[in-house]
Tab-separated table of all heavy atoms in Angstrom:
chain	number	residue	atom	x	y	z
A	68	PHE	N	2.876	-1.026	-5.614
A	68	PHE	CA	2.316	0.245	-5.143
A	68	PHE	C	0.799	0.129	-5.051
A	68	PHE	O	0.147	-0.308	-5.997
A	68	PHE	CB	2.708	1.390	-6.087
A	68	PHE	CG	4.145	1.792	-5.936
A	68	PHE	CD1	5.148	1.073	-6.585
A	68	PHE	CD2	4.508	2.842	-5.116
A	68	PHE	CE1	6.484	1.412	-6.424
A	68	PHE	CE2	5.835	3.189	-4.951
A	68	PHE	CZ	6.832	2.473	-5.603
A	69	GLY	N	0.243	0.540	-3.917
A	69	GLY	CA	-1.200	0.479	-3.704
A	69	GLY	C	-1.967	1.463	-4.557
A	69	GLY	O	-3.134	1.242	-4.874
A	70	ASP	N	-1.305	2.554	-4.939
A	70	ASP	CA	-1.930	3.506	-5.851
A	70	ASP	C	-0.853	4.403	-6.445
A	70	ASP	O	0.291	4.408	-5.994
A	70	ASP	CB	-3.030	4.329	-5.162
A	70	ASP	CG	-2.494	5.369	-4.180
A	70	ASP	OD1	-1.499	5.075	-3.475
A	70	ASP	OD2	-3.069	6.478	-4.108
A	104	MET	N	3.778	1.291	-11.034
A	104	MET	CA	2.567	1.619	-11.793
A	104	MET	C	2.937	2.731	-12.779
A	104	MET	O	3.530	3.740	-12.381
A	104	MET	CB	1.460	2.124	-10.862
A	104	MET	CG	0.779	1.036	-10.061
A	104	MET	SD	-0.563	1.737	-9.038
A	104	MET	CE	-1.416	0.230	-8.550
A	114	ALA	N	-3.613	0.507	-15.631
A	114	ALA	CA	-4.236	-0.320	-14.587
A	114	ALA	C	-4.331	-1.771	-15.050
A	114	ALA	O	-4.013	-2.700	-14.294
A	114	ALA	CB	-5.617	0.222	-14.240
A	118	GLU	N	-2.441	-5.044	-13.380
A	118	GLU	CA	-3.219	-6.197	-12.953
A	118	GLU	C	-2.704	-7.474	-13.629
A	118	GLU	O	-2.556	-8.527	-12.981
A	118	GLU	CB	-4.695	-5.978	-13.291
A	118	GLU	CG	-5.609	-7.089	-12.825
A	118	GLU	CD	-7.072	-6.735	-13.056
A	118	GLU	OE1	-7.531	-6.789	-14.216
A	118	GLU	OE2	-7.755	-6.399	-12.075
A	121	LEU	N	0.512	-8.705	-11.979
A	121	LEU	CA	0.238	-9.386	-10.704
A	121	LEU	C	-0.369	-10.766	-10.948
A	121	LEU	O	0.007	-11.752	-10.303
A	121	LEU	CB	-0.706	-8.544	-9.841
A	121	LEU	CG	-0.181	-7.199	-9.338
A	121	LEU	CD1	-1.270	-6.466	-8.565
A	121	LEU	CD2	1.045	-7.371	-8.445
A	132	MET	N	-5.034	-15.577	-6.639
A	132	MET	CA	-4.849	-14.132	-6.797
A	132	MET	C	-3.531	-13.753	-6.137
A	132	MET	O	-3.114	-14.395	-5.172
A	132	MET	CB	-6.005	-13.382	-6.125
A	132	MET	CG	-5.956	-11.877	-6.313
A	132	MET	SD	-7.464	-11.059	-5.665
A	132	MET	CE	-7.185	-11.158	-3.903
A	138	ILE	N	0.501	-4.793	3.074
A	138	ILE	CA	0.077	-3.623	2.291
A	138	ILE	C	0.057	-2.417	3.218
A	138	ILE	O	-0.588	-2.442	4.267
A	138	ILE	CB	-1.322	-3.830	1.663
A	138	ILE	CG1	-1.291	-4.954	0.615
A	138	ILE	CG2	-1.815	-2.525	1.014
A	138	ILE	CD1	-2.635	-5.196	-0.080
A	140	LEU	N	-1.205	1.272	3.945
A	140	LEU	CA	-2.272	2.192	3.558
A	140	LEU	C	-2.175	3.447	4.412
A	140	LEU	O	-1.691	3.401	5.546
A	140	LEU	CB	-3.646	1.540	3.747
A	140	LEU	CG	-4.013	0.372	2.825
A	140	LEU	CD1	-5.336	-0.238	3.240
A	140	LEU	CD2	-4.052	0.800	1.364
A	148	THR	N	-8.512	5.871	1.257
A	148	THR	CA	-7.275	5.121	1.427
A	148	THR	C	-6.877	4.584	0.069
A	148	THR	O	-7.740	4.374	-0.788
A	148	THR	CB	-7.419	4.002	2.473
A	148	THR	OG1	-6.112	3.536	2.828
A	148	THR	CG2	-8.284	2.855	1.981
A	149	ALA	N	-5.559	4.381	-0.157
A	149	ALA	CA	-5.042	4.170	-1.515
A	149	ALA	C	-5.638	5.309	-2.361
A	149	ALA	O	-5.654	6.451	-1.911
A	149	ALA	CB	-5.366	2.782	-2.035
A	150	SER	N	-6.188	5.012	-3.556
A	150	SER	CA	-6.931	6.069	-4.266
A	150	SER	C	-8.394	5.674	-4.371
A	150	SER	O	-9.049	5.839	-5.405
A	150	SER	CB	-6.317	6.380	-5.632
A	150	SER	OG	-5.204	7.266	-5.474
A	151	LEU	N	-8.897	5.135	-3.259
A	151	LEU	CA	-10.322	4.810	-3.125
A	151	LEU	C	-10.985	5.973	-2.396
A	151	LEU	O	-10.980	6.037	-1.166
A	151	LEU	CB	-10.482	3.492	-2.352
A	151	LEU	CG	-9.870	2.252	-3.021
A	151	LEU	CD1	-9.811	1.080	-2.053
A	151	LEU	CD2	-10.633	1.871	-4.290
A	156	ALA	N	-16.154	5.352	-8.478
A	156	ALA	CA	-16.588	4.068	-9.036
A	156	ALA	C	-15.811	2.879	-8.472
A	156	ALA	O	-16.361	1.783	-8.312
A	156	ALA	CB	-16.450	4.105	-10.563
A	157	ALA	N	-14.526	3.074	-8.167
A	157	ALA	CA	-13.679	1.952	-7.732
A	157	ALA	C	-14.166	1.313	-6.434
A	157	ALA	O	-13.858	0.153	-6.157
A	157	ALA	CB	-12.233	2.412	-7.575
A	158	LEU	N	-14.940	2.055	-5.644
A	158	LEU	CA	-15.449	1.508	-4.373
A	158	LEU	C	-16.355	0.314	-4.604
A	158	LEU	O	-16.479	-0.552	-3.734
A	158	LEU	CB	-16.226	2.571	-3.590
A	158	LEU	CG	-15.490	3.845	-3.180
A	158	LEU	CD1	-16.414	4.731	-2.364
A	158	LEU	CD2	-14.243	3.532	-2.389
A	159	GLU	N	-17.010	0.293	-5.764
A	159	GLU	CA	-17.983	-0.774	-6.036
A	159	GLU	C	-17.374	-1.944	-6.806
A	159	GLU	O	-18.070	-2.898	-7.140
A	159	GLU	CB	-19.176	-0.211	-6.834
A	159	GLU	CG	-19.808	1.049	-6.254
A	159	GLU	CD	-20.081	0.962	-4.752
A	159	GLU	OE1	-20.484	-0.119	-4.272
A	159	GLU	OE2	-19.872	1.983	-4.058
A	160	GLU	N	-16.094	-1.869	-7.090
A	160	GLU	CA	-15.440	-2.922	-7.887
A	160	GLU	C	-15.319	-4.218	-7.088
A	160	GLU	O	-14.813	-4.208	-5.974
A	160	GLU	CB	-14.043	-2.447	-8.334
A	160	GLU	CG	-13.317	-3.403	-9.250
A	160	GLU	CD	-14.094	-3.718	-10.529
A	160	GLU	OE1	-14.435	-2.783	-11.271
A	160	GLU	OE2	-14.341	-4.913	-10.757
A	161	THR	N	-15.796	-5.315	-7.656
A	161	THR	CA	-15.771	-6.581	-6.916
A	161	THR	C	-14.886	-7.652	-7.560
A	161	THR	O	-14.623	-8.677	-6.945
A	161	THR	CB	-17.197	-7.173	-6.777
A	161	THR	OG1	-17.754	-7.305	-8.088
A	161	THR	CG2	-18.083	-6.273	-5.926
A	162	THR	N	-14.439	-7.426	-8.796
A	162	THR	CA	-13.615	-8.449	-9.456
A	162	THR	C	-12.232	-7.944	-9.853
A	162	THR	O	-11.240	-8.630	-9.608
A	162	THR	CB	-14.317	-9.024	-10.705
A	162	THR	OG1	-14.713	-7.929	-11.535
A	162	THR	CG2	-15.543	-9.832	-10.316
A	163	ARG	N	-12.156	-6.762	-10.451
A	163	ARG	CA	-10.856	-6.228	-10.860
A	163	ARG	C	-9.989	-5.969	-9.633
A	163	ARG	O	-10.478	-5.568	-8.594
A	163	ARG	CB	-11.030	-4.912	-11.635
A	163	ARG	CG	-11.703	-5.028	-12.988
A	163	ARG	CD	-10.782	-5.506	-14.093
A	163	ARG	NE	-9.527	-4.761	-14.150
A	163	ARG	CZ	-9.335	-3.620	-14.821
A	163	ARG	NH1	-10.328	-3.074	-15.491
A	163	ARG	NH2	-8.146	-3.048	-14.829
A	164	ARG	N	-8.686	-6.211	-9.798
A	164	ARG	CA	-7.744	-6.001	-8.684
A	164	ARG	C	-7.099	-4.618	-8.719
A	164	ARG	O	-6.735	-4.063	-7.689
A	164	ARG	CB	-6.634	-7.072	-8.721
A	164	ARG	CG	-6.969	-8.368	-8.021
A	164	ARG	CD	-7.827	-9.301	-8.830
A	164	ARG	NE	-7.209	-9.746	-10.071
A	164	ARG	CZ	-7.901	-10.086	-11.159
A	164	ARG	NH1	-9.234	-10.026	-11.160
A	164	ARG	NH2	-7.291	-10.489	-12.257
A	165	VAL	N	-6.942	-4.090	-9.921
A	165	VAL	CA	-6.328	-2.764	-10.096
A	165	VAL	C	-7.175	-2.012	-11.110
A	165	VAL	O	-7.504	-2.571	-12.165
A	165	VAL	CB	-4.872	-2.866	-10.610
A	165	VAL	CG1	-4.227	-1.485	-10.695
A	165	VAL	CG2	-4.027	-3.787	-9.720
A	166	VAL	N	-7.544	-0.777	-10.813
A	166	VAL	CA	-8.361	0.001	-11.758
A	166	VAL	C	-7.855	1.440	-11.872
A	166	VAL	O	-7.113	1.927	-11.015
A	166	VAL	CB	-9.859	0.053	-11.331
A	166	VAL	CG1	-10.482	-1.336	-11.342
A	166	VAL	CG2	-10.038	0.722	-9.978
A	167	ALA	N	-8.293	2.075	-12.953
A	167	ALA	CA	-8.147	3.524	-13.082
A	167	ALA	C	-9.403	4.131	-12.462
A	167	ALA	O	-10.511	3.738	-12.807
A	167	ALA	CB	-8.027	3.909	-14.545
A	168	ASN	N	-9.221	5.048	-11.536
A	168	ASN	CA	-10.360	5.613	-10.796
A	168	ASN	C	-10.377	7.123	-10.997
A	168	ASN	O	-9.412	7.813	-10.646
A	168	ASN	CB	-10.213	5.282	-9.299
A	168	ASN	CG	-11.493	5.529	-8.525
A	168	ASN	OD1	-12.590	5.445	-9.052
A	168	ASN	ND2	-11.347	5.830	-7.236
A	178	LEU	N	-4.513	5.606	-10.351
A	178	LEU	CA	-4.430	4.146	-10.436
A	178	LEU	C	-4.504	3.623	-9.012
A	178	LEU	O	-3.864	4.180	-8.112
A	178	LEU	CB	-3.105	3.726	-11.076
A	178	LEU	CG	-2.818	4.324	-12.459
A	178	LEU	CD1	-1.413	3.954	-12.924
A	178	LEU	CD2	-3.849	3.854	-13.470
A	179	THR	N	-5.284	2.567	-8.794
A	179	THR	CA	-5.432	2.102	-7.414
A	179	THR	C	-5.728	0.609	-7.321
A	179	THR	O	-6.361	0.035	-8.206
A	179	THR	CB	-6.551	2.896	-6.685
A	179	THR	OG1	-6.557	2.534	-5.295
A	179	THR	CG2	-7.935	2.625	-7.271
A	180	PHE	N	-5.228	0.003	-6.236
A	180	PHE	CA	-5.698	-1.322	-5.846
A	180	PHE	C	-7.179	-1.189	-5.493
A	180	PHE	O	-7.627	-0.130	-5.050
A	180	PHE	CB	-4.980	-1.812	-4.586
A	180	PHE	CG	-3.566	-2.300	-4.787
A	180	PHE	CD1	-2.926	-2.235	-6.019
A	180	PHE	CD2	-2.860	-2.826	-3.710
A	180	PHE	CE1	-1.624	-2.688	-6.172
A	180	PHE	CE2	-1.565	-3.290	-3.859
A	180	PHE	CZ	-0.938	-3.224	-5.088
A	181	THR	N	-7.907	-2.293	-5.627
A	181	THR	CA	-9.308	-2.326	-5.216
A	181	THR	C	-9.434	-3.182	-3.954
A	181	THR	O	-8.475	-3.826	-3.526
A	181	THR	CB	-10.161	-2.954	-6.329
A	181	THR	OG1	-9.696	-4.287	-6.540
A	181	THR	CG2	-10.076	-2.147	-7.620
A	182	TYR	N	-10.642	-3.197	-3.399
A	182	TYR	CA	-10.855	-3.995	-2.183
A	182	TYR	C	-10.544	-5.486	-2.366
A	182	TYR	O	-9.973	-6.097	-1.457
A	182	TYR	CB	-12.285	-3.819	-1.653
A	182	TYR	CG	-12.575	-2.437	-1.129
A	182	TYR	CD1	-13.600	-1.662	-1.667
A	182	TYR	CD2	-11.831	-1.893	-0.079
A	182	TYR	CE1	-13.870	-0.386	-1.185
A	182	TYR	CE2	-12.101	-0.615	0.409
A	182	TYR	CZ	-13.126	0.135	-0.149
A	182	TYR	OH	-13.390	1.388	0.323
A	183	PRO	N	-10.917	-6.112	-3.515
A	183	PRO	CA	-10.589	-7.537	-3.641
A	183	PRO	C	-9.099	-7.826	-3.437
A	183	PRO	O	-8.739	-8.807	-2.785
A	183	PRO	CB	-11.044	-7.878	-5.058
A	183	PRO	CG	-12.173	-6.928	-5.325
A	183	PRO	CD	-11.761	-5.652	-4.643
A	184	LEU	N	-8.230	-6.968	-3.977
A	184	LEU	CA	-6.783	-7.179	-3.831
A	184	LEU	C	-6.312	-6.813	-2.414
A	184	LEU	O	-5.576	-7.565	-1.775
A	184	LEU	CB	-6.023	-6.355	-4.875
A	184	LEU	CG	-4.504	-6.548	-4.908
A	184	LEU	CD1	-4.125	-8.009	-5.167
A	184	LEU	CD2	-3.869	-5.650	-5.971
A	185	ILE	N	-6.776	-5.670	-1.924
A	185	ILE	CA	-6.374	-5.230	-0.575
A	185	ILE	C	-6.811	-6.245	0.476
A	185	ILE	O	-6.022	-6.652	1.339
A	185	ILE	CB	-6.962	-3.834	-0.260
A	185	ILE	CG1	-6.318	-2.763	-1.149
A	185	ILE	CG2	-6.768	-3.481	1.225
A	185	ILE	CD1	-6.992	-1.391	-1.077
A	186	ASN	N	-8.055	-6.661	0.385
A	186	ASN	CA	-8.607	-7.558	1.401
A	186	ASN	C	-8.118	-8.999	1.282
A	186	ASN	O	-8.424	-9.832	2.132
A	186	ASN	CB	-10.140	-7.498	1.390
A	186	ASN	CG	-10.657	-6.204	1.998
A	186	ASN	OD1	-10.014	-5.606	2.847
A	186	ASN	ND2	-11.827	-5.764	1.555
A	187	GLY	N	-7.318	-9.271	0.247
A	187	GLY	CA	-6.704	-10.589	0.116
A	187	GLY	C	-5.335	-10.677	0.776
A	187	GLY	O	-4.714	-11.738	0.791
A	188	ALA	N	-4.862	-9.568	1.345
A	188	ALA	CA	-3.499	-9.530	1.908
A	188	ALA	C	-3.393	-10.316	3.210
A	188	ALA	O	-4.369	-10.494	3.929
A	188	ALA	CB	-3.092	-8.084	2.165
A	191	ILE	N	-2.320	-5.916	6.696
A	191	ILE	CA	-2.480	-4.532	6.228
A	191	ILE	C	-2.044	-3.612	7.355
A	191	ILE	O	-2.458	-3.793	8.507
A	191	ILE	CB	-3.944	-4.251	5.832
A	191	ILE	CG1	-4.315	-5.058	4.574
A	191	ILE	CG2	-4.173	-2.753	5.576
A	191	ILE	CD1	-5.799	-5.236	4.375
A	218	ARG	N	-13.845	0.245	4.927
A	218	ARG	CA	-14.263	-0.964	4.209
A	218	ARG	C	-13.098	-1.940	3.990
A	218	ARG	O	-13.254	-2.964	3.348
A	218	ARG	CB	-14.875	-0.597	2.849
A	218	ARG	CG	-16.095	0.291	2.981
A	218	ARG	CD	-16.855	0.288	1.664
A	218	ARG	NE	-17.547	1.546	1.448
A	218	ARG	CZ	-18.244	1.818	0.356
A	218	ARG	NH1	-18.318	0.932	-0.621
A	218	ARG	NH2	-18.859	2.976	0.222
A	219	VAL	N	-11.957	-1.583	4.513
A	219	VAL	CA	-10.818	-2.506	4.459
A	219	VAL	C	-11.049	-3.562	5.529
A	219	VAL	O	-11.067	-3.269	6.718
A	219	VAL	CB	-9.485	-1.761	4.683
A	219	VAL	CG1	-8.339	-2.735	4.864
A	219	VAL	CG2	-9.219	-0.807	3.521
Side-chain angles (χ1 to χ4, degrees):
F68 286 82
D70 72 322
M104 284 182 167
E118 183 174 75
L121 295 177
M132 184 173 74
I138 294 182
L140 292 174
T148 194
S150 278
L151 298 168
L158 300 183
E159 310 313 322
E160 185 58 57
T161 56
T162 52
R163 293 280 310 273
R164 274 80 62 209
V165 184
V166 297
N168 194 28
L178 304 174
T179 187
F180 284 4
T181 61
Y182 293 121
L184 184 58
I185 292 170
N186 286 332
I191 292 160
R218 300 196 210 178
V219 170

